[in-house]
Amino acid sequence: MARRPRPAGDDLKSGPQRLLALLRSTIPPVHRAGLPFIGAGLAVAVAGRRHRWARRTGLLTAGACAGLFRHPRRVPPTRPGVVVAPADGLVCLVDTAAPPAELGLPDAPLPRVSVFLSLLDAHVQRAPVSGEVVDVQHRPGRFGSADLAAASEHNERTSMLLRTENGAQIVVVQIAGLLARRIVCDAQAGDKLSIGDTYGLIRFGSRLDTYLPAGAEPLVSVGQRALAGETVLAEL
């Protein structure tokens, strides 16, 4: 039986729809925390539309903020027992250290993986495992360079303790840096997070420390690039 030809209007409709779907899959959305910064840049561009330098400055600012606060879609591994990177960036440290004292955990050294976020990295943070948020603690501190080992101890930070269904405890710490003056953590004690869920961000540039259970072996090396929610740091 011969197929009836599609009306010409169908092609006109499907073309823009396909283009829109392609743009949505290619250009990541923006985290809501970045909207005020993008709006401010656009406002400058509109207010100064008759002045080339003001218009360009506003548009460049809005575009830069859209990039900084991008919220790309990530697909976490499906195999059980993995710990994924909580942030995009460069693995700058793989060692052992005592977890943050404010969480009230034993001070025995634990395996630790640190990821440094530059201004070019996405600034959102994601849950490294699925589990319950046991505790969240914020500690004021300095704003030194986040890529230095001393930043874990001296810089301002927000520490979160997660407990998996099997009882394993993972600590993830948001650490401020030279330009990072605002740590946002939307998770609270009692919340249930799934691996890869977005729970906060730091603006602008920072560091994330992940403390693993004793005996866990990190699977990444210093200098390796990490993708939040996808790169496996360790297996429990």
Side-chain angles (χ1 to χ4, degrees), residues 28-29 31 70-76 83-88 122-129 160 162 172 174 193-201 208 210 227-230:
H31 192 279
R70 65 190 183 275
H71 192 186
R73 180 176 179 268
R74 296 289 163 77
V75 182
V83 181
V84 297
D88 288 12
H123 283 54
V124 295
Q125 279 87 61
R126 302 174 189 265
V129 294
M160 180 173 69
L162 284 164
V172 60
Q174 299 167 288
L193 298 178
S194 295
I195 186 171
D197 281 353
T198 299
Y199 76 89
L201 60 83
L208 265 289
T210 304
L227 286 179
E230 292 188 353

Side-chain angles (χ1 to χ4, degrees), residues 1-229:
M1 183 177 178
R3 296 179 59 187
R4 297 177 59 186
R6 291 187 303 169
D10 285 358
D11 290 333
L12 294 177
K13 292 179 181 179
S14 60
Q17 289 174 350
R18 287 200 298 268
L19 178 60
L20 182 59
L22 177 61
L23 289 175
R24 285 177 174 173
S25 64
T26 304
I27 302 175
V30 174
H31 192 279
R32 63 182 182 277
L35 297 179
F37 297 91
I38 298 171
L42 293 177
V44 170
V46 172
R49 60 186 179 276
R50 296 183 179 179
H51 303 279
R52 181 181 302 175
W53 66 268
R55 184 175 66 250
R56 289 182 175 177
T57 298
L59 292 176
L60 286 173
T61 300
C65 289
L68 288 170
F69 289 98
R70 65 190 183 275
H71 192 186
R73 180 176 179 268
R74 296 289 163 77
V75 182
T78 56
R79 67 182 187 274
V82 298
V83 181
V84 297
D88 288 12
L90 191 72
V91 177
C92 63
L93 197 66
V94 179
D95 64 356
T96 59
E102 57 268 25
L103 291 175
L105 299 173
D107 59 1
L110 297 174
R112 178 178 64 175
V113 177
S114 300
V115 176
F116 174 73
L117 292 76
S118 74
L119 287 174
L120 300 179
D121 291 309
H123 283 54
V124 295
Q125 279 87 61
R126 302 174 189 265
V129 294
S130 297
E132 180 181 358
V133 178
V134 178
D135 195 10
V136 177
Q137 294 291 335
H138 177 78
R139 198 205 70 168
R142 303 175 187 172
F143 295 95
S145 181
D147 61 342
L148 300 177
S152 295
E153 179 62 27
H154 301 300
N155 284 19
E156 181 166 334
R157 67 193 184 208
T158 295
S159 304
M160 180 173 69
L161 174 61
L162 284 164
R163 181 183 294 128
T164 69
E165 191 177 55
N166 295 328
Q169 293 191 140
I170 306 293
V171 175
V172 60
V173 186
Q174 299 167 288
I175 302 173
L178 283 171
L179 299 177
R181 301 285 168 157
R182 177 74 169 124
I183 297 176
V184 178
C185 181
D186 296 323
Q188 299 178 350
D191 289 350
K192 299 293 180 67
L193 298 178
S194 295
I195 186 171
D197 281 353
T198 299
Y199 76 89
L201 60 83
I202 312 177
R203 34 175 224 254
F204 300 93
S206 50
R207 172 172 161 180
L208 265 289
D209 285 355
T210 304
Y211 293 82
L212 306 167
E217 291 290 339
L219 301 178
V220 292
S221 303
V222 173
Q224 181 177 338
R225 293 290 304 179
L227 286 179

